[in-house]
């Protein structure tokens, strides 16, 4: 779910199980990028959470099965991968300069030429996004894109973003594409497959609905404009929704040349969706009294007979029901395999749950997905299986009639597969849900709904911590708080709770006592702080100073005996009782960013308004440094583990380094600007920790690593994988050389490993029972070994894959080996987290030693790069053998 606090904090925030290879060395440097840093080849993956944000749009191609797109409000666009049952990100190439392109207002897939897809992008229509919007077009299903910039802004994260789709391809002439714009910008059309666009001057109404005309920041005061475009598959009729409660629907009968308001239409509400049953000649319109997505208290579902011109109110719950109608309608879909069958969803029904309605007689009658069975009991036609994403219970155990998990909220996009009546997907404020048993509804047989969000990572990451022991990563996230990530490739069972702090804005651990963590957040009321003594797995609520309204920034001393907190709504305070009591700090302005020295427990650092501050008495008093600091823009700083007084600060003027606890700073040569800096395990043979930078080095913007204290840098991402507005959350791994964790504002958490292989994680695996050498006699095989192969990324002539080895037996393995045959000419070129290679068509791979031990029901994963020419089918079978 994307709440307004994230919208308002764009300058302070950043930007699914999908892996990509960053190999910048093989790409030409950006124009004018002289003396660019060298590059290292990395594999990047999402730390799995699955979902975590609002999915306002799901779009099926009508002619090709399994071609599905999803759009998000701040996290880009995705395409469904049926083989892996996961989503593939399509806009990771968006960089810092055009970060707003990760707000996707609409998507259209071409029903005539399925390789073509279009996206209307841009995040805000007010000043938060400095750029105008754009229409992106692709002829390879989103693998690559071309850009047409618009003369106005788009609002992928503005009110009304769930209405649509605003983009549509004319099925009668697919060179014609229409775009229904917001902001009073009217209707636009392209006649050359999206290359150029012109305003349709004949369209008579640009919309007039404004949620709050008195909103001074421009977020709620924009005209929500036009809301959707729908083509009739049989005639040349085109329908357009307008955010005008008196004139919500217009029609053209000549392919968009002339337009008129449809007579007799229902008024008083906004038309969120307009879908057409071309067989029965019915246009269905779902309306609500607001543009959503967070609200909506009344509305209708109306049916228009496109032949007779008759309108009929077919609402599942009608306005005449009075208080029984406490929601508007938005999600709306027709079954194209079974004309006359449709599903409608409540726009917002927070309590006790969302409601979906199904009709098989063109809206004459409806069945609810759940019914009252004597209050507070409910009877349900469905079951929820969230075992893949267990955190979707939101750590709740409500009393009836509420239940957990919920069907969702903000159900703006509900879509029946146009080629499969049994499959339905729908987006919520937190995930994508789906079923493949939808027609069970008609026979009153229970059907199962499951999350379908693997690979779709849409969290806003506010802070990251990778301690030297315990879980490799602990996170602070917008909306869903954050997680204790014991396994980077597995969805955690629950997000931070007890206390639940809402959006967690910061966290820290004691460097010399890393079991102690503190996190802070923007809960609506106290508490705003939580403390952990077991490495961030479990938490208890701390006390807080008077006046605190939000999380702000927090730091823990190296020995865990002091905490400094700069909360929202109050002055900076320090505690020597781990949050049990607080004393006001002096000398450091409210709202400062705070960090601790990672060696000296008495030293803390702060930054505020272009000044750097230092405390040497545990946070009681701070003094301003005379060192020059950047005064505007994004500024982040961290202290180096194991080195007292060693501090690095990244900002718009570059990268600064202090070795005297902030008394003086020296500019790091070659770094033109910085967003953030972090530290990880030193390179083999190196004395200084690896330094990671999000910024510009050698004239090139990217993510960089230095193994020599900043004297030289290597770029570890590439221009195809920039993640938009990323980097305000950054952490190096102290146990794995080369590994870095990157936070984004909408694409979740990414972690990157060198493709040359990772060093063995510390502490090293036990050597008390070494594995037998290859010449030893073969032990009895372990029972149950299976391997799953999937393609995780591809480019012209090459691809990256991943194989997961699962031990389904009862005894732990000591070694494992996997094999397959490439039958289409693919050639293996690189393997990591395993050893082996290819002979002829046969590929044979075995564990890397350190990952040969796999517990029952556990998995090990290795990756590879290969080339391909004519095709790239998934090989079968994939053999797996293991020893125990």
């Amino acid at each position: 779910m994307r709440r307004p606090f994230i919208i308002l904090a764009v300058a302070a925030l950043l930007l699914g199980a999908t892996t990509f290879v960053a190999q910048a060395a093989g790409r030409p440097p950006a124009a004018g990028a002289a003396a660019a840093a060298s590059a290292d080849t990395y594999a990047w993956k999402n730390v799995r959470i699955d979902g975590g944000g609002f999915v306002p749009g799901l779009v099926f191609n009508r002619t090709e099965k399994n071609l599905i797109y999803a759009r998000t409000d701040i996290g880009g666009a995705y395409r469904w991968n049926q083989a892996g049952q996961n989503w593939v990100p399509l806009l990771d190439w968006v960089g810092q300069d055009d970060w707003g392109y990760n707000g996707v207002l609409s998507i259209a897939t071409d029903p005539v030429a399925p390789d073509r897809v279009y996206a209307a992008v841009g995040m805000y229509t007010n000043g938060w996004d400095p750029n105008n919007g754009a229409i992106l077009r692709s002829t390879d299903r989103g693998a690559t894109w071309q850009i047409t910039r618009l003369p106005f802004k788009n609002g992928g994260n503005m009110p009304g973003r769930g209405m649509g789709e605003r983009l549509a391809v004319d099925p009668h002439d697919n060179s014609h594409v229409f775009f229904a714009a917001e902001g009073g910008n009217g209707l636009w059309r392209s006649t050359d497959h999206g290359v150029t666009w012109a305003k349709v001057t004949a369209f008579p109404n640009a919309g007039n609905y404004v949620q709050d005309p008195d909103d001074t920041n421009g977020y709620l005061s924009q005209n929500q404009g036009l809301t959707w475009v729908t083509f009739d598959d049989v005639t040349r009729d085109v329908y357009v929704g307008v955010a005008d409660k008196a004139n919500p629907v217009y029609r053209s009968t000549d392919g968009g040349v002339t337009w008129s308001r449809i007579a007799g239409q229902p008024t008083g509400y906004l038309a969120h969706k307009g879908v057409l049953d071309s067989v029965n000649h019915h246009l269905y319109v779902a309306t609500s009294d607001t543009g959503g997505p967070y609200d909506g208290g009344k509305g209708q579902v109306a049916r228009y007979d496109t032949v007779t011109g008759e309108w009929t109110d077919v609402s599942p719950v009608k306005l005449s029901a009075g208080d029984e109608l406490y929601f508007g309608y938005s999600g709306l879909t027709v079954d194209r395999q079974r004309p006359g069958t449709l599903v409608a969803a409540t726009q917002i029904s927070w309590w006790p749950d969302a409601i979906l309605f199904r009709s098989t007689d063109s809206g004459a009658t409806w069945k609810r997905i759940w019914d009252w069975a004597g209050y507070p009991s409910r009877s349900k036609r469905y079951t929820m299986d969230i075992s893949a994403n267990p955190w979707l219970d939101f750590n709740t155990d409500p009393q009836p009639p509420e239940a957990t998990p919920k069907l969702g909220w903000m159900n703006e996009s509900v879509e029946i597969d146009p080629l499969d009546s049994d499959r339905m997907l729908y987006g919520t404020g937190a995930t994508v849900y789906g079923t493949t048993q939808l027609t069970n509804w008609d026979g009153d047989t229970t059907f199962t709904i499951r999350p379908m969000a693997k690979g779709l990572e849409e969290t806003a990451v506010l802070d990251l911590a990778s301690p030297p022991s315990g879980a490799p990563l602990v996170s602070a996230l917008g909306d869903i708080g954050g997680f204790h990530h014991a396994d980077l490739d597995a969805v955690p069972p629950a997000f931070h709770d007890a206390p639940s702090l809402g959006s967690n804005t910061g966290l820290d651990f004691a460097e010399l006592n890393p079991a102690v963590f503190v996190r802070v957040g923007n809960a609506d009321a106290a508490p705003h702080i939580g403390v952990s003594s077991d490495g961030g797995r479990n938490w208890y609520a701390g006390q807080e100073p008077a006046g605190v309204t939000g999380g702000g920034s927090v730091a823990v001393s190296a020995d865990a005996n002091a905490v400094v907190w700069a909360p929202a709504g109050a002055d900076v305070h320090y505690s020597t009782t781990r949050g049990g009591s607080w004393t006001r700090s002096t000398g450091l302005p409210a709202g400062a960013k705070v960090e601790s020295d990672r060696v000296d427990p008495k030293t803390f650092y702060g930054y505020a308004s272009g000044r750097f501050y230092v405390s040497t008495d545990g946070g009681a008093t701070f003094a301003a440094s005379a060192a020059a600091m950047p005064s505007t823009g994004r500024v982040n700083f961290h202290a180096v583990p194991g080195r007292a007084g060693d501090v690095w600060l990244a900002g718009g003027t570059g990268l600064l380094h202090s070795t005297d606890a902030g008394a003086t700073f020296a500019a790091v040569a070659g770094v033109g600007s910085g967003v953030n800096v972090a530290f990880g395990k030193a390179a083999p043979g190196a004395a200084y920790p690896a330094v990671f930078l999000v910024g510009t080095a050698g004239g090139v913007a990217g993510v960089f690593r230095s193994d020599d204290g900043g004297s030289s840098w290597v770029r570890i991402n590439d221009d195809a994988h920039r993640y938009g507005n990323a980097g305000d959350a950054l952490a190096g791994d102290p146990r794995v050389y080369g590994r870095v964790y990157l936070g984004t504002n909408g694409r979740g958490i990414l972690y990157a490993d060198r493709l040359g292989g990772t060093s063995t994680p510390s502490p090293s695996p036990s050597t008390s029972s070494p594995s037998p050498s290859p010449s030893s006699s073969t032990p009895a095989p372990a029972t149950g070994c299976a391997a799953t192969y999937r393609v995780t990324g591809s480019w012209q002539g090459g691809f990256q894959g991943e194989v997961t080895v699962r031990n389904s037996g009862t005894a732990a393995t000591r070694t494992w080996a996997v094999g397959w045959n490439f039958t289409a000419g693919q050639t293996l070129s690189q393997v990591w987290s395993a050893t082996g290679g290819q002979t002829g068509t046969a590929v044979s791979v075995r564990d890397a030693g350190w990952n040969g031990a796999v517990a029952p029901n556990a998995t090990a994963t290795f990756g590879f790069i290969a080339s391909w020419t004519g095709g790239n089918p998934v090989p079968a079978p994939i053999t797996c053998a293991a020893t125990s």
Side-chain angles (χ1 to χ4, degrees), residues 344-364:
T346 54
Q347 159 60 20
I348 284 293
S349 176
W350 295 100
W351 184 94
D353 204 346
I355 313 171
L356 276 68
F357 305 89
R358 181 171 172 87
S359 173
T360 58
D361 54 11
S362 301

mmCIF file of all heavy atoms in Angstrom, residues 344-364:
data_model
loop_
_atom_site.group_PDB
_atom_site.id
_atom_site.type_symbol
_atom_site.label_atom_id
_atom_site.label_comp_id
_atom_site.label_asym_id
_atom_site.label_seq_id
_atom_site.Cartn_x
_atom_site.Cartn_y
_atom_site.Cartn_z
ATOM 1 N N ALA A 344 -17.117 -7.839 -10.349
ATOM 2 C CA ALA A 344 -16.941 -6.461 -9.892
ATOM 3 C C ALA A 344 -16.392 -6.494 -8.470
ATOM 4 O O ALA A 344 -16.613 -7.457 -7.716
ATOM 5 C CB ALA A 344 -18.267 -5.699 -9.930
ATOM 6 N N ALA A 345 -15.670 -5.431 -8.103
ATOM 7 C CA ALA A 345 -15.054 -5.372 -6.776
ATOM 8 C C ALA A 345 -15.366 -4.040 -6.118
ATOM 9 O O ALA A 345 -15.540 -3.012 -6.778
ATOM 10 C CB ALA A 345 -13.547 -5.556 -6.881
ATOM 11 N N THR A 346 -15.423 -4.066 -4.793
ATOM 12 C CA THR A 346 -15.565 -2.824 -4.042
ATOM 13 C C THR A 346 -14.302 -1.994 -4.203
ATOM 14 O O THR A 346 -13.183 -2.514 -4.180
ATOM 15 C CB THR A 346 -15.797 -3.120 -2.559
ATOM 16 O OG1 THR A 346 -14.749 -3.969 -2.067
ATOM 17 C CG2 THR A 346 -17.127 -3.819 -2.350
ATOM 18 N N GLN A 347 -14.488 -0.679 -4.338
ATOM 19 C CA GLN A 347 -13.338 0.218 -4.391
ATOM 20 C C GLN A 347 -12.621 0.215 -3.044
ATOM 21 O O GLN A 347 -11.430 -0.007 -2.970
ATOM 22 C CB GLN A 347 -13.807 1.621 -4.783
ATOM 23 C CG GLN A 347 -12.880 2.771 -4.417
ATOM 24 C CD GLN A 347 -11.517 2.646 -5.054
ATOM 25 O OE1 GLN A 347 -11.355 1.944 -6.027
ATOM 26 N NE2 GLN A 347 -10.539 3.310 -4.485
ATOM 27 N N ILE A 348 -13.359 0.458 -1.993
ATOM 28 C CA ILE A 348 -12.810 0.360 -0.643
ATOM 29 C C ILE A 348 -13.894 -0.208 0.266
ATOM 30 O O ILE A 348 -14.976 0.369 0.392
ATOM 31 C CB ILE A 348 -12.347 1.724 -0.108
ATOM 32 C CG1 ILE A 348 -11.019 2.139 -0.733
ATOM 33 C CG2 ILE A 348 -12.201 1.681 1.409
ATOM 34 C CD1 ILE A 348 -9.839 1.271 -0.336
ATOM 35 N N SER A 349 -13.619 -1.343 0.834
ATOM 36 C CA SER A 349 -14.469 -1.902 1.886
ATOM 37 C C SER A 349 -13.515 -2.402 2.960
ATOM 38 O O SER A 349 -13.169 -3.577 3.016
ATOM 39 C CB SER A 349 -15.336 -3.049 1.349
ATOM 40 O OG SER A 349 -16.079 -3.643 2.393
ATOM 41 N N TRP A 350 -13.036 -1.470 3.774
ATOM 42 C CA TRP A 350 -12.010 -1.821 4.758
ATOM 43 C C TRP A 350 -12.534 -2.847 5.770
ATOM 44 O O TRP A 350 -11.764 -3.688 6.242
ATOM 45 C CB TRP A 350 -11.575 -0.556 5.518
ATOM 46 C CG TRP A 350 -10.891 0.468 4.692
ATOM 47 C CD1 TRP A 350 -11.437 1.603 4.173
ATOM 48 C CD2 TRP A 350 -9.517 0.478 4.282
ATOM 49 N NE1 TRP A 350 -10.495 2.320 3.478
ATOM 50 C CE2 TRP A 350 -9.307 1.655 3.533
ATOM 51 C CE3 TRP A 350 -8.448 -0.388 4.492
ATOM 52 C CZ2 TRP A 350 -8.070 1.981 2.983
ATOM 53 C CZ3 TRP A 350 -7.216 -0.058 3.942
ATOM 54 C CH2 TRP A 350 -7.037 1.109 3.203
ATOM 55 N N TRP A 351 -13.809 -2.756 6.117
ATOM 56 C CA TRP A 351 -14.343 -3.612 7.175
ATOM 57 C C TRP A 351 -15.602 -4.294 6.683
ATOM 58 O O TRP A 351 -16.465 -3.657 6.072
ATOM 59 C CB TRP A 351 -14.660 -2.765 8.411
ATOM 60 C CG TRP A 351 -15.130 -3.593 9.571
ATOM 61 C CD1 TRP A 351 -14.383 -4.102 10.590
ATOM 62 C CD2 TRP A 351 -16.484 -4.000 9.826
ATOM 63 N NE1 TRP A 351 -15.174 -4.810 11.454
ATOM 64 C CE2 TRP A 351 -16.475 -4.765 11.012
ATOM 65 C CE3 TRP A 351 -17.696 -3.820 9.152
ATOM 66 C CZ2 TRP A 351 -17.615 -5.328 11.547
ATOM 67 C CZ3 TRP A 351 -18.844 -4.381 9.687
ATOM 68 C CH2 TRP A 351 -18.790 -5.130 10.877
ATOM 69 N N PRO A 352 -15.784 -5.583 6.944
ATOM 70 C CA PRO A 352 -14.765 -6.458 7.529
ATOM 71 C C PRO A 352 -13.741 -6.931 6.506
ATOM 72 O O PRO A 352 -12.707 -7.467 6.869
ATOM 73 C CB PRO A 352 -15.583 -7.637 8.068
ATOM 74 C CG PRO A 352 -16.747 -7.709 7.107
ATOM 75 C CD PRO A 352 -17.057 -6.277 6.748
ATOM 76 N N ASP A 353 -14.032 -6.677 5.216
ATOM 77 C CA ASP A 353 -13.115 -7.109 4.164
ATOM 78 C C ASP A 353 -13.615 -6.538 2.843
ATOM 79 O O ASP A 353 -14.742 -6.025 2.743
ATOM 80 C CB ASP A 353 -13.062 -8.648 4.087
ATOM 81 C CG ASP A 353 -11.764 -9.163 3.473
ATOM 82 O OD1 ASP A 353 -11.016 -8.356 2.869
ATOM 83 O OD2 ASP A 353 -11.499 -10.371 3.591
ATOM 84 N N ALA A 354 -12.791 -6.667 1.825
ATOM 85 C CA ALA A 354 -13.246 -6.353 0.475
ATOM 86 C C ALA A 354 -14.344 -7.328 0.067
ATOM 87 O O ALA A 354 -14.502 -8.405 0.652
ATOM 88 C CB ALA A 354 -12.075 -6.444 -0.500
ATOM 89 N N ILE A 355 -15.109 -6.932 -0.947
ATOM 90 C CA ILE A 355 -16.148 -7.815 -1.488
ATOM 91 C C ILE A 355 -15.980 -7.882 -2.990
ATOM 92 O O ILE A 355 -15.850 -6.851 -3.662
ATOM 93 C CB ILE A 355 -17.571 -7.312 -1.162
ATOM 94 C CG1 ILE A 355 -17.700 -6.928 0.316
ATOM 95 C CG2 ILE A 355 -18.595 -8.375 -1.526
ATOM 96 C CD1 ILE A 355 -19.004 -6.236 0.651
ATOM 97 N N LEU A 356 -15.971 -9.090 -3.522
ATOM 98 C CA LEU A 356 -16.023 -9.312 -4.961
ATOM 99 C C LEU A 356 -17.381 -9.912 -5.289
ATOM 100 O O LEU A 356 -17.922 -10.729 -4.513
ATOM 101 C CB LEU A 356 -14.902 -10.238 -5.435
ATOM 102 C CG LEU A 356 -13.538 -9.591 -5.704
ATOM 103 C CD1 LEU A 356 -12.884 -9.105 -4.419
ATOM 104 C CD2 LEU A 356 -12.609 -10.583 -6.406
ATOM 105 N N PHE A 357 -17.937 -9.521 -6.425
ATOM 106 C CA PHE A 357 -19.262 -9.978 -6.854
ATOM 107 C C PHE A 357 -19.111 -10.617 -8.239
ATOM 108 O O PHE A 357 -18.358 -10.128 -9.076
ATOM 109 C CB PHE A 357 -20.231 -8.808 -6.962
ATOM 110 C CG PHE A 357 -20.372 -7.983 -5.717
ATOM 111 C CD1 PHE A 357 -19.536 -6.902 -5.482
ATOM 112 C CD2 PHE A 357 -21.358 -8.255 -4.780
ATOM 113 C CE1 PHE A 357 -19.674 -6.114 -4.353
ATOM 114 C CE2 PHE A 357 -21.514 -7.482 -3.640
ATOM 115 C CZ PHE A 357 -20.663 -6.407 -3.423
ATOM 116 N N ARG A 358 -19.883 -11.684 -8.484
ATOM 117 C CA ARG A 358 -19.820 -12.377 -9.776
ATOM 118 C C ARG A 358 -21.222 -12.533 -10.344
ATOM 119 O O ARG A 358 -22.160 -12.920 -9.627
ATOM 120 C CB ARG A 358 -19.159 -13.742 -9.631
ATOM 121 C CG ARG A 358 -19.039 -14.535 -10.946
ATOM 122 C CD ARG A 358 -18.179 -15.769 -10.722
ATOM 123 N NE ARG A 358 -18.158 -16.683 -11.857
ATOM 124 C CZ ARG A 358 -17.336 -16.619 -12.893
ATOM 125 N NH1 ARG A 358 -16.445 -15.629 -12.943
ATOM 126 N NH2 ARG A 358 -17.372 -17.505 -13.870
ATOM 127 N N SER A 359 -21.356 -12.234 -11.634
ATOM 128 C CA SER A 359 -22.629 -12.397 -12.333
ATOM 129 C C SER A 359 -22.398 -13.230 -13.582
ATOM 130 O O SER A 359 -21.384 -13.061 -14.272
ATOM 131 C CB SER A 359 -23.201 -11.038 -12.733
ATOM 132 O OG SER A 359 -24.359 -11.194 -13.541
ATOM 133 N N THR A 360 -23.316 -14.131 -13.876
ATOM 134 C CA THR A 360 -23.261 -14.911 -15.115
ATOM 135 C C THR A 360 -24.424 -14.567 -16.037
ATOM 136 O O THR A 360 -24.624 -15.234 -17.059
ATOM 137 C CB THR A 360 -23.274 -16.420 -14.802
ATOM 138 O OG1 THR A 360 -24.448 -16.738 -14.051
ATOM 139 C CG2 THR A 360 -22.028 -16.828 -14.025
ATOM 140 N N ASP A 361 -25.166 -13.492 -15.699
ATOM 141 C CA ASP A 361 -26.321 -13.103 -16.529
ATOM 142 C C ASP A 361 -26.288 -11.606 -16.821
ATOM 143 O O ASP A 361 -27.298 -10.909 -16.707
ATOM 144 C CB ASP A 361 -27.631 -13.519 -15.866
ATOM 145 C CG ASP A 361 -27.769 -13.009 -14.450
ATOM 146 O OD1 ASP A 361 -26.952 -12.155 -14.028
ATOM 147 O OD2 ASP A 361 -28.692 -13.457 -13.742
ATOM 148 N N SER A 362 -25.102 -11.130 -17.175
ATOM 149 C CA SER A 362 -24.914 -9.734 -17.601
ATOM 150 C C SER A 362 -25.303 -8.731 -16.524
ATOM 151 O O SER A 362 -25.751 -7.622 -16.824
ATOM 152 C CB SER A 362 -25.694 -9.459 -18.893
ATOM 153 O OG SER A 362 -25.265 -10.310 -19.929
ATOM 154 N N GLY A 363 -25.125 -9.120 -15.268
ATOM 155 C CA GLY A 363 -25.368 -8.204 -14.166
ATOM 156 C C GLY A 363 -26.770 -8.217 -13.615
ATOM 157 O O GLY A 363 -27.077 -7.451 -12.691
ATOM 158 N N ALA A 364 -27.630 -9.086 -14.135
ATOM 159 C CA ALA A 364 -29.004 -9.136 -13.606
ATOM 160 C C ALA A 364 -29.009 -9.629 -12.165
ATOM 161 O O ALA A 364 -29.758 -9.120 -11.322
ATOM 162 C CB ALA A 364 -29.871 -10.027 -14.487
#
